[in-house]
Amino acid sequence: MNPKIITIDGPSGVGKGTIALMVADYLGYNYLDSGSLYRSLALALSEKKIDLTKDIDDIEKNINELEIDFKYDKNGKTSIFVNKIEFTKKIRTEKVAKMASQIAKNAKARKMLEVVQRRYIKAPGLVADGRDMGTKVFNEANIKFFLTASVEKRAERRLNQLKDQGISANLPNLIHELLLRDKADTERTISPLVPANDAILVDTSEFSAAEVFNKIKELVDKNI
Ligand code: C5P
């Protein structure tokens, strides 16, 4: 039987990662945090002093030399390595998020990352979160979700996440940065952030992670 695929897309800070990990854990499926790939790629390139907005040839050349690996432990903690060097914490800043959003406009980078992302399809199944999981990378997914939430709620959640990781940030700045990133992600021409036609929309603004998970679990149990 083909591995099942569940996609969870949506804007930054909507809770995709938390919910996707809960679903993957519940079903015993593999998990892909596609945003981490964009962040790792962007940071690795910028550490090589490559201008993400200009040096298209250098981007292409260097992409082929990068190997990005994830390790997940039983508690849902993810570690990310680029060419065997740990990137886990340093990709979580808003600065890197912004760089990720720049590289995300590059068609070659997206194509290369698509190949990497599809390698995560493994039996019995995969839960993938990102921006274009349901519309593009895993268009054939068995069930697709698109999460939304107000920008204030998303910024609050992001602030708490960053605090937990020991990274300082402030709410007004985060709101500003999330709005800029939403704009870049929804307005880009290649794989913009939009719900797939067959995606189930879930507004998470007023619900806890456990409540959102229960709603999604019910739909997954019925459809998978
Ligand atoms: O999900 P996360 O906030 O880590 O993603 C960082 C950036 O990477 C996004 O703002 C977006 O520009 C890009 N991205 C993307 N497609 C994905 C995942 C992330 O374009 N599937």
Side-chain angles (χ1 to χ4, degrees), residues 36-54:
S36 296
L37 290 175
Y38 283 88
R39 287 171 183 255
S40 301
L41 177 61
L43 182 59
L45 293 174
S46 89
E47 282 182 352
K48 289 183 172 233
K49 306 276 178 271
I50 294 170
D51 182 339
L52 301 179
T53 59
K54 288 201 198 100

Side-chain angles (χ1 to χ4, degrees), residues 13-28:
V14 79
K16 307 181 292 289
T18 308
I19 300 300
L21 259 174
M22 288 168 95
V23 177
D25 185 51
Y26 167 64
L27 295 169

